[in-house]
Structure formats: structure tokens, C-alpha cells
Amino acid sequence: MKKRMIALLLTGVLFSLTVGIGCGKAAVENIASKKTEAVTAEEGRVLEGDDAGQKSQDGAEPADGGALEGDRAEPESRDGAEPADSKTEEGETEKQMALREKLGVPERISAPETNEGGVVRIIDAAVSVPDADSFVITSAESKTFGDSNMKTLVEPVLGEGGLYRLEPEGYEFLVSQGALLRRRLEQGDYEGEEERQNLEQTLETTEACIREMEGEVQKTKLALRMTIEEKLNSGQYVEILEGFTDWEQRTMHVGISRYGMILDSWPMEEQSRCTISKEQAEAVAEAYVERMGLSEELVLDFAGENEGMREDAGYVFAYVRTLGGVPVGYSGSKGLNLTVDDRGVRRLGYGDYVIGQEGKPAELLPFSEIQKIFEETSIRIFCEPGELKKISVDEIRLVYRFVPVSEWSSVSGHLVPAWEAFGTYQVLDENGVLRDSNPADRECLLAVSAVDGRILAGAEE
């Protein structure tokens, strides 16, 4: 999944923390712990024609629990999709084969290697189609979290320990800061001897502050109610809930907003280890999906193992909603994302859609037109620090993609049939080392509307 998962899942809530040097009360007073939020819309243009559905105005959102007025109700399990056709000898259903024939979709496409502006691009991709014979364009809203569904969704995840905060204020930040400093020193993440000495001095001071405060640390239990208001860059306010919870083998930081929740190992910079098999990890993930009461609503869409640029070990599992048996593509902020290692779930993020019950039938373009767009469009990637050197597209698939009603709001929009391209990329970092992207990040490199060929995400401006 995307490396910006935490910020996206909280609809732009960025936890920006800055340490102050000194101990005790002075240290806490010097800590600038500011939370800023920015509502960002997924790139793309809204389809013209039908209304986009209930639009957020002056901060108004759907009622708690995600229920919308009128005919916008939560779809039933798996959207009432019909049982899949029996598979052919080739491994695809009759519907899939018929869809391939109708749109002229090959099983694989290749394009000549290109080099544009020093960036090599390779397309050698398997092309998959869903088990469906019809598509629609339908309204969708971001599902909201509220007090009414805390007990049904959040409480089962937290377990008996519930949610708490640590006092005195600022202690938890110092612990996270110390973990980050130790990790940077261990990995040699500094430039020159002077910076290394500064890091060591800052770590020494931070650890002294932690020792001074440890005797006063207390846990204060928090009610599962979103009572903290944070101001967005747009000037609106949003309710959030933050705290910690103790799972079976680790302490987790919890963040819940109107549009999603995240849980991450605390301190967040903690390294993990993973020696279990992918099958064992998936069993752990499935157990948590069931624990959240979502096993009948979401399907496993992607499973991968962390490697490449990121140091975290573990397996990543992404679960998504479906519409008529077609996956609603994971967007980084919508869907259930779990990272599993030897000690269990080390990271969890969840956001979802409420999908309109009726949609306008959609006719899809021949795949030859889509293929031409993929071959001729320059791709833009928001990647790790460094210089982008290579893009490799190895998978293209047909899904539903959320298109926001405007660039200023990602709350309301449409689900549109779209072709999404996935793959990997290479970046030349500041040390001159060529690094591969992490396949487990599952980043969509380019998205194209299957209805009219519009670029929905990933193209250069």
C-alpha cells in the first residue's frame, strides 16, 4: 500500500511532531505537537451528466455509521453478486472470456521500451478482467465513523484493554522520538560525523527526559467517543479520537476520524521481524477481518510481502468492497489494510464507501483504445526522495475506481469502471544507490476511465 497510508486513512490528518530539548515540564513545553489536516481529492475528473449524489456542504457529512438518506443504503454482503460461473480449462469463467472477446482484451500486452527525460519505461503486463458482464456508473460517499458504531467496529479490535492515553503529556512523543533517533543511528541515516554526533546528543537528552518522566507515567482510560476537534486546512473542523491500546503482544497507537481509522505499532518507528509463512500471516489477517465483522462485506484483493525501499518486515493484505462482483480498487484511504509479522497485526487501516443502490449503465471502450493511452501517457510517481530512473508496468486490471465530485472534496463522487496499471519503479537515492520500490505498497501507476478514456490518476501534468 501507499507509504502515506496513515495520512490518507485519516483523510489528510498528518501527525507532525517536533521535539524540544530539555527535561521535565520544560521539555513538554518545548514540544511542538501540532496536528494539521488537509482534505485532498484523488486525482481525476468527475464524469459529467448525473449528479454526484449527496455533496458535503459546509462540513456536513452523512450520518454516523455511514447511512445515507433516501435510497443510499449500505449494499448487502458482496453487493448481492451472483455466484461465479464455473471456470473453464483456461482458468477463467464464461463471463470473463465473453468480456475479453467483447472488448478485445488480450491476456498480456507489451510495448517497446521508451526513455523519456532519463526515465526508462517498460510495459510488459498481464491484463485481467473481472467476472462480470455489465458495468454501471454509480454514486458513492465516504463512509463515516461515529459514536454509534464504535462498539460494533472499533471496540472488538481494541479488545479488553480499551483505549487510553499516557500522562504526563508529551511522554509518548519523547518515546517515539527516541525510537526514531536510535533507528537513524543504527541505519547510518545521517550525513557526516557532525550530524551523527548531533543525533547521539539529542538521543542522550531525550532518553534522560524519558527516565525523569517514567516515575510519573499513568494510563488514563478514554471513552470511545470522538470529542477532539481538529481544524482542517479548509477551515472546517473534524472530530477525531486518539490514544493507545494494548494488543496481545504490542502497544498500538490509535487514530480515528470521521472517515477512517488507523492502528500502528508504538513507537511507530519500531522495526519488525517476520519469519512466518504467507499462509500463516493470511490466517491472522482473516481472523481480524472477522473480528471486525467485515468478513461478509469485504474480499481479499491483494497480498504481498514488504521488501525494497522500506525496512519493515511483514506481509500486507488489502481487502476491498465489490460492486456487482467487481472489486472497488484500493485507493490508499478506502479498504481494509493489514500488515502482519511474527507477533500478529502490526498495522491496520480502514476506510470505506457507501455505494448508491442504482447506477447508470456504462458502455466500455474497446481495449485497443485503452492500450494506446497506456503506451502514450507519461506517468508521474510520488516516490521516495531521489531521482526517478525506471518505471515497469507488469499488471493491468479492470476495476471500479472512485472519482471525487471535485478536486476540493473526496467525500462524494462516483464509482467508475477503470483500467488501473500496477508495477514497480527504481529511484536513484541521494547516496547514488539504485533502489527498487516496495511491491507491497501496491501503488497504482496510472488509471484510465474505461468509459471515455480520461486519465484518472498517475499522468504527468
Side-chain angles (χ1 to χ4, degrees), residues 229-240:
E229 289 189 345
E230 291 293 333
K231 189 174 183 179
L232 304 178
N233 286 354
S234 62
Q236 298 178 359
Y237 283 83
V238 63
E239 291 179 312
I240 65 170

Side-chain angles (χ1 to χ4, degrees), residues 6 9-11 13 15 37 143-147 149-151 153-155 157-158 163 222-230 238-245 253-263 348 350:
I6 295 175
L9 285 170
L10 287 177
T11 320
V13 179
F15 299 100
E37 299 193 14
K143 181 175 181 177
T144 56
F145 285 66
D147 297 343
N149 60 13
M150 284 290 183
K151 287 189 175 295
L153 181 65
V154 179
E155 193 172 80
V157 176
L158 301 184
L163 191 67
L222 296 176
L224 293 178
R225 301 180 65 181
M226 290 190 289
T227 56
I228 304 173
E229 289 189 345
E230 291 293 333
V238 63
E239 291 179 312
I240 65 170
L241 176 63
E242 284 187 87
F244 297 94
T245 187
H253 172 265
V254 183
I256 304 168
S257 79
R258 294 282 290 173
Y259 301 112
M261 63 181 293
I262 57 116
L263 293 89
L348 179 153
Y350 176 59

Side-chain angles (χ1 to χ4, degrees), residues 157-404:
V157 176
L158 301 184
E160 296 181 359
L163 191 67
Y164 63 86
R165 69 169 176 260
L166 292 173
E167 296 178 336
E169 183 181 357
Y171 170 79
E172 67 274 10
F173 170 66
L174 289 174
V175 172
S176 291
Q177 179 71 10
L180 174 61
L181 292 169
R182 283 190 295 273
R183 186 168 182 174
R184 289 187 61 184
L185 287 167
E186 290 171 359
Q187 296 181 349
D189 183 16
Y190 49 81
E191 294 184 6
E193 180 64 18
E194 182 178 354
E195 185 176 2
R196 184 189 65 79
Q197 291 180 1
N198 288 338
L199 290 175
E200 288 181 343
Q201 181 179 358
T202 304
L203 175 59
E204 182 179 346
T205 305
T206 301
E207 290 179 335
C209 295
I210 292 172
R211 289 193 296 270
E212 181 176 316
M213 300 173 72
E214 277 178 344
E216 307 172 17
V217 174
Q218 295 181 343
K219 291 183 178 180
T220 301
K221 191 167 185 178
L222 296 176
L224 293 178
R225 301 180 65 181
M226 290 190 289
T227 56
I228 304 173
E229 289 189 345
E230 291 293 333
K231 189 174 183 179
L232 304 178
N233 286 354
S234 62
Q236 298 178 359
Y237 283 83
V238 63
E239 291 179 312
I240 65 170
L241 176 63
E242 284 187 87
F244 297 94
T245 187
D246 294 327
W247 281 12
E248 288 85 346
Q249 301 180 65
R250 53 172 38 117
T251 298
M252 307 288 285
H253 172 265
V254 183
I256 304 168
S257 79
R258 294 282 290 173
Y259 301 112
M261 63 181 293
I262 57 116
L263 293 89
D264 206 344
S265 297
W266 183 78
M268 288 186 184
E269 295 77 19
E270 170 192 272
Q271 284 186 293
S272 58
R273 54 189 171 81
C274 188
T275 60
I276 60 176
S277 68
K278 187 174 182 179
E279 290 73 23
Q280 290 172 314
E282 185 172 344
V284 173
E286 292 285 351
Y288 272 95
V289 176
E290 184 173 354
R291 186 170 172 177
M292 295 178 72
L294 297 171
S295 58
E296 296 300 319
E297 298 183 38
L298 306 181
V299 299
L300 180 62
D301 187 52
F302 172 74
E305 184 174 3
N306 274 338
E307 57 184 63
M309 292 181 185
R310 202 162 70 190
E311 300 296 331
D312 294 344
Y315 297 94
V316 175
F317 302 93
Y319 296 80
V320 300
R321 192 165 294 281
T322 62
L323 175 59
V326 181
V328 177
Y330 186 87
S331 68
S333 62
K334 296 296 186 290
L336 175 62
N337 177 274
L338 298 166
T339 301
V340 179
D341 64 14
D342 283 6
R343 292 189 291 164
V345 176
R346 76 171 257 108
R347 182 178 295 119
L348 179 153
Y350 176 59
D352 212 340
Y353 297 110
V354 178
I355 301 174
Q357 289 185 325
E358 296 183 2
K360 178 181 178 181
E363 289 295 326
L364 308 190
L365 293 173
F367 186 76
S368 58
E369 297 185 30
I370 302 297
Q371 181 174 345
K372 185 177 180 182
I373 295 171
F374 276 118
E375 293 176 353
E376 296 179 352
T377 302
S378 296
I379 297 175
R380 180 185 62 223
I381 295 175
F382 295 99
C383 55
E384 301 284 344
E387 182 183 0
L388 181 64
K389 302 300 292 185
K390 183 178 179 180
I391 299 171
S392 299
V393 176
D394 56 31
E395 179 188 0
I396 296 174
R397 65 174 192 162
L398 179 59
V399 296
Y400 279 104
R401 186 175 181 89
F402 179 74
V403 179

